[in-house]
Amino acid sequence: MPGLFISEVRKITTTSTFYWLLAGGVAFSLLAVSSLSGADDAAMTQPITEQLFLFLGTFVKLGFLILGIRIVTDEFRFGTATPTFLFTPARRKVLLAKVGAAAMCGVFMAVVTQVVLFGSAAGFFAIKGEVLHIGSAGTHAFFGGIVAGTFWTVIGLGVGAVIRNQIIAIVGVVVWFMGFEDIIGSRLGDADWFLPGRAGLSLALAPDGRALWNGLTIVLVYAALTLALGAIAVHRKDVA
Amino acid sequence: MSAPIEVSGLTKVYDQPAVDDLSFAIEWGQVSGFLGPNGAGKSTTMRMILGLSRPTSGVATVDGMRFDQLERPASVVGALLDTQQFHPQRSARNHLRVYADAARIPAPQVEEVLELVELTDAADRRVGGFSLGMKQRLGLATALLGEPKILVLDEPANGLDPSGIRWLRSFLREFVSDGKAAFVSSHLLGEMALMADDVIVIARGSLVAQAPMHELVVHSDAGVRARSEEPERLRSVVESLGARAELVSHDTILVKGIAVEEVGRAAARDQIVLYGLASEEGSLEDVFLQLTGSEV
């Protein structure tokens, strides 16, 4: 199993997709901080703003999802699934190793994105002669963002295992998270807690412990569900 | 000792049967050819043998076990099924390392197979920039990574230049010389004649023939060529024996349906002078057409 895990990590780190998505996450973090330039001094001295995370939650989330989707769908798009399953016929073991590798790379990408976000925000405030007060909400957002990023990568992997067509899978999550979920959410009002995007966001922005645990549970259920469906699909479908 | 590859009643049905109740076995120490027209079910059969495609019914075993039951599959069977099995952004060396990691194959083996297929100089180049022949060689290197005792190669000569084909032929010969086995599909019939010891012919998913390559060629109905000063009379004589005969030049007829000995005896009995008498070996193309009823 360790060999299989190393193999999957090597797959991710030996193509440019991971680095492009990482660069995209960093770019969005910098963009988010630059959006603070119009804030007045009072707003700037507040903890990292909710708006900033809403912005990141929308765009960077897609980066994690796309990473997860591509970890699986690249195998079918480029035909590498054939040697993968020739060297390891136990397909569920391969999927498990992919989950581990995706989670690790997701954590790495999330940590880098968050460090860039908070670091550049601190730098930006320092230039203005202010001190960034991260506070408990900011600390929560920092670690919650890392947990959320990791889960999005794993959920993306599950989606990719179910929907092998890369374009359909990516367009599907973009359409869902960039519009469809908002439409459903606006109709549901306060009853939108079970939607994946809302639950993911609560990991970083939950107002209290209960909301945080609820969000975590829901995200876990989505991750488990997509992976279970993915495992069934990977086990049953022929490798063309 | 189990056969290197054995399939029994193997069937795969999509909308219609792609492979239909196929049974055969190959032997150790031989290059076994797998011949059939395009769409005959060769690749589907190979994919079922290797656990990539699930049979509708029937069983395929590799070294006596189903592929997915092999403990260390890479050390039992190496396969090259497609030239499109590389991530274009990954280097050749990293491609091999990925699978070496998965099968816990020591890193030096990566360098060995790169050297074997003469890709060491291109090892750090992205595979996307490789020619078809280079991809084919990298595919072969991947198949050899686990030092397997069985090779399964689907159209391995595709994209190789003549020297590459010659190299492949001698490589396979050497591979099986110490008791290993190779199962090679091809539509290049002439190539198969030079490469394989034994051949399995399929058409429309079903077994058409399995025989040693030389037997298959010799037993083709290519005919007997007879040169005589009385070709027309000789034709009448052999036709009276139930043979078919045609005049192919002013002094030569081609006789089909009876053996060369019978033609000779008939000519002697009727005192027809012969200048030459020889049975013709059929080409593999002839055999293939006769067996499969398909265009090559």
PDB file of all heavy atoms in Angstrom, chain A residues 1 23 87 98 109 148 158 173 176 183 187-188 232 237 240:
ATOM      1  N   MET A   1       0.806  -1.234   0.000  1.00  0.00           N
ATOM      2  CA  MET A   1       0.000   0.000   0.000  1.00  0.00           C
ATOM      3  C   MET A   1       0.836   1.279   0.000  1.00  0.00           C
ATOM      4  O   MET A   1       0.526   2.213  -0.734  1.00  0.00           O
ATOM      5  CB  MET A   1      -0.961  -0.023   1.196  1.00  0.00           C
ATOM      6  CG  MET A   1      -2.042   1.035   1.109  1.00  0.00           C
ATOM      7  SD  MET A   1      -3.148   0.830  -0.303  1.00  0.00           S
ATOM      8  CE  MET A   1      -4.029   2.373  -0.271  1.00  0.00           C
ATOM      9  N   ALA A  23      -0.949  27.430  -8.453  1.00  0.00           N
ATOM     10  CA  ALA A  23      -0.692  28.825  -8.845  1.00  0.00           C
ATOM     11  C   ALA A  23      -2.012  29.606  -8.893  1.00  0.00           C
ATOM     12  O   ALA A  23      -2.066  30.773  -8.483  1.00  0.00           O
ATOM     13  CB  ALA A  23       0.010  28.857 -10.202  1.00  0.00           C
ATOM     14  N   PHE A  87      -0.757  -3.164 -13.275  1.00  0.00           N
ATOM     15  CA  PHE A  87       0.213  -3.307 -12.189  1.00  0.00           C
ATOM     16  C   PHE A  87      -0.483  -3.545 -10.849  1.00  0.00           C
ATOM     17  O   PHE A  87       0.090  -4.147  -9.952  1.00  0.00           O
ATOM     18  CB  PHE A  87       1.126  -2.073 -12.115  1.00  0.00           C
ATOM     19  CG  PHE A  87       2.247  -2.110 -13.118  1.00  0.00           C
ATOM     20  CD1 PHE A  87       2.041  -1.696 -14.425  1.00  0.00           C
ATOM     21  CD2 PHE A  87       3.495  -2.601 -12.769  1.00  0.00           C
ATOM     22  CE1 PHE A  87       3.068  -1.749 -15.363  1.00  0.00           C
ATOM     23  CE2 PHE A  87       4.526  -2.657 -13.696  1.00  0.00           C
ATOM     24  CZ  PHE A  87       4.308  -2.239 -14.999  1.00  0.00           C
ATOM     25  N   LYS A  98      -5.449   6.606  -4.172  1.00  0.00           N
ATOM     26  CA  LYS A  98      -5.735   7.913  -4.783  1.00  0.00           C
ATOM     27  C   LYS A  98      -6.352   8.868  -3.766  1.00  0.00           C
ATOM     28  O   LYS A  98      -6.030  10.058  -3.759  1.00  0.00           O
ATOM     29  CB  LYS A  98      -6.689   7.741  -5.982  1.00  0.00           C
ATOM     30  CG  LYS A  98      -6.000   7.253  -7.244  1.00  0.00           C
ATOM     31  CD  LYS A  98      -6.965   7.303  -8.414  1.00  0.00           C
ATOM     32  CE  LYS A  98      -6.329   6.712  -9.664  1.00  0.00           C
ATOM     33  NZ  LYS A  98      -5.140   7.480 -10.122  1.00  0.00           N
ATOM     34  N   MET A 109      -2.037  22.065  -0.946  1.00  0.00           N
ATOM     35  CA  MET A 109      -2.541  23.201  -1.713  1.00  0.00           C
ATOM     36  C   MET A 109      -3.300  24.171  -0.808  1.00  0.00           C
ATOM     37  O   MET A 109      -3.172  25.391  -0.937  1.00  0.00           O
ATOM     38  CB  MET A 109      -3.455  22.674  -2.837  1.00  0.00           C
ATOM     39  CG  MET A 109      -3.681  23.648  -3.963  1.00  0.00           C
ATOM     40  SD  MET A 109      -4.290  22.781  -5.426  1.00  0.00           S
ATOM     41  CE  MET A 109      -5.952  23.405  -5.512  1.00  0.00           C
ATOM     42  N   ALA A 148     -11.572  22.206   4.616  1.00  0.00           N
ATOM     43  CA  ALA A 148     -12.527  22.262   3.496  1.00  0.00           C
ATOM     44  C   ALA A 148     -11.833  21.944   2.173  1.00  0.00           C
ATOM     45  O   ALA A 148     -12.336  21.146   1.368  1.00  0.00           O
ATOM     46  CB  ALA A 148     -13.172  23.644   3.440  1.00  0.00           C
ATOM     47  N   GLY A 158     -14.079  11.596  -5.982  1.00  0.00           N
ATOM     48  CA  GLY A 158     -15.259  10.714  -6.052  1.00  0.00           C
ATOM     49  C   GLY A 158     -16.113  11.028  -7.274  1.00  0.00           C
ATOM     50  O   GLY A 158     -16.569  10.121  -7.971  1.00  0.00           O
ATOM     51  N   VAL A 173     -19.488  20.305 -12.009  1.00  0.00           N
ATOM     52  CA  VAL A 173     -19.248  20.938 -10.700  1.00  0.00           C
ATOM     53  C   VAL A 173     -19.229  22.462 -10.818  1.00  0.00           C
ATOM     54  O   VAL A 173     -19.682  23.167  -9.908  1.00  0.00           O
ATOM     55  CB  VAL A 173     -17.951  20.435  -9.989  1.00  0.00           C
ATOM     56  CG1 VAL A 173     -18.037  18.963  -9.695  1.00  0.00           C
ATOM     57  CG2 VAL A 173     -16.703  20.763 -10.763  1.00  0.00           C
ATOM     58  N   TRP A 176     -22.824  23.534 -10.988  1.00  0.00           N
ATOM     59  CA  TRP A 176     -23.466  23.346  -9.689  1.00  0.00           C
ATOM     60  C   TRP A 176     -23.060  24.444  -8.702  1.00  0.00           C
ATOM     61  O   TRP A 176     -23.890  25.114  -8.109  1.00  0.00           O
ATOM     62  CB  TRP A 176     -23.143  21.960  -9.110  1.00  0.00           C
ATOM     63  CG  TRP A 176     -23.700  21.795  -7.715  1.00  0.00           C
ATOM     64  CD1 TRP A 176     -23.049  22.051  -6.542  1.00  0.00           C
ATOM     65  CD2 TRP A 176     -25.029  21.429  -7.354  1.00  0.00           C
ATOM     66  NE1 TRP A 176     -23.875  21.842  -5.477  1.00  0.00           N
ATOM     67  CE2 TRP A 176     -25.107  21.457  -5.938  1.00  0.00           C
ATOM     68  CE3 TRP A 176     -26.157  21.050  -8.093  1.00  0.00           C
ATOM     69  CZ2 TRP A 176     -26.267  21.141  -5.240  1.00  0.00           C
ATOM     70  CZ3 TRP A 176     -27.314  20.730  -7.388  1.00  0.00           C
ATOM     71  CH2 TRP A 176     -27.362  20.784  -5.995  1.00  0.00           C
ATOM     72  N   ILE A 183     -29.242  28.937  -6.744  1.00  0.00           N
ATOM     73  CA  ILE A 183     -30.665  28.997  -7.106  1.00  0.00           C
ATOM     74  C   ILE A 183     -31.479  28.141  -6.138  1.00  0.00           C
ATOM     75  O   ILE A 183     -32.480  28.578  -5.574  1.00  0.00           O
ATOM     76  CB  ILE A 183     -30.886  28.521  -8.561  1.00  0.00           C
ATOM     77  CG1 ILE A 183     -30.197  29.484  -9.531  1.00  0.00           C
ATOM     78  CG2 ILE A 183     -32.370  28.404  -8.890  1.00  0.00           C
ATOM     79  CD1 ILE A 183     -30.088  28.973 -10.950  1.00  0.00           C
ATOM     80  N   ARG A 187     -34.131  29.396  -2.866  1.00  0.00           N
ATOM     81  CA  ARG A 187     -35.517  28.907  -2.713  1.00  0.00           C
ATOM     82  C   ARG A 187     -35.742  28.228  -1.362  1.00  0.00           C
ATOM     83  O   ARG A 187     -36.833  28.248  -0.832  1.00  0.00           O
ATOM     84  CB  ARG A 187     -35.858  27.923  -3.828  1.00  0.00           C
ATOM     85  CG  ARG A 187     -35.826  28.601  -5.186  1.00  0.00           C
ATOM     86  CD  ARG A 187     -36.566  27.854  -6.227  1.00  0.00           C
ATOM     87  NE  ARG A 187     -36.615  28.640  -7.447  1.00  0.00           N
ATOM     88  CZ  ARG A 187     -37.306  28.308  -8.511  1.00  0.00           C
ATOM     89  NH1 ARG A 187     -38.002  27.200  -8.502  1.00  0.00           N
ATOM     90  NH2 ARG A 187     -37.298  29.067  -9.570  1.00  0.00           N
ATOM     91  N   LEU A 188     -34.653  27.618  -0.857  1.00  0.00           N
ATOM     92  CA  LEU A 188     -34.796  26.887   0.408  1.00  0.00           C
ATOM     93  C   LEU A 188     -34.692  27.807   1.622  1.00  0.00           C
ATOM     94  O   LEU A 188     -35.146  27.461   2.713  1.00  0.00           O
ATOM     95  CB  LEU A 188     -33.728  25.792   0.503  1.00  0.00           C
ATOM     96  CG  LEU A 188     -33.882  24.616  -0.456  1.00  0.00           C
ATOM     97  CD1 LEU A 188     -32.641  23.730  -0.395  1.00  0.00           C
ATOM     98  CD2 LEU A 188     -35.128  23.793  -0.120  1.00  0.00           C
ATOM     99  N   ILE A 232     -17.804   1.773  -6.589  1.00  0.00           N
ATOM    100  CA  ILE A 232     -18.664   0.835  -7.332  1.00  0.00           C
ATOM    101  C   ILE A 232     -18.405   0.968  -8.832  1.00  0.00           C
ATOM    102  O   ILE A 232     -18.228  -0.020  -9.551  1.00  0.00           O
ATOM    103  CB  ILE A 232     -20.160   1.098  -7.012  1.00  0.00           C
ATOM    104  CG1 ILE A 232     -20.443   0.729  -5.556  1.00  0.00           C
ATOM    105  CG2 ILE A 232     -21.071   0.311  -7.949  1.00  0.00           C
ATOM    106  CD1 ILE A 232     -21.789   1.211  -5.041  1.00  0.00           C
ATOM    107  N   LYS A 237     -16.998  -1.072 -13.968  1.00  0.00           N
ATOM    108  CA  LYS A 237     -16.863  -0.692 -15.374  1.00  0.00           C
ATOM    109  C   LYS A 237     -15.593  -1.272 -15.995  1.00  0.00           C
ATOM    110  O   LYS A 237     -14.550  -1.379 -15.333  1.00  0.00           O
ATOM    111  CB  LYS A 237     -16.830   0.835 -15.510  1.00  0.00           C
ATOM    112  CG  LYS A 237     -18.184   1.489 -15.305  1.00  0.00           C
ATOM    113  CD  LYS A 237     -18.083   2.985 -15.576  1.00  0.00           C
ATOM    114  CE  LYS A 237     -19.355   3.707 -15.194  1.00  0.00           C
ATOM    115  NZ  LYS A 237     -19.206   5.168 -15.268  1.00  0.00           N
ATOM    116  N   ALA A 240     -11.531   0.730 -20.847  1.00  0.00           N
ATOM    117  CA  ALA A 240     -11.461   0.672 -22.322  1.00  0.00           C
ATOM    118  C   ALA A 240     -10.066   1.031 -22.807  1.00  0.00           C
ATOM    119  O   ALA A 240      -9.344   1.742 -22.137  1.00  0.00           O
ATOM    120  CB  ALA A 240     -12.469   1.624 -22.909  1.00  0.00           C
TER     121      ALA A 240
END
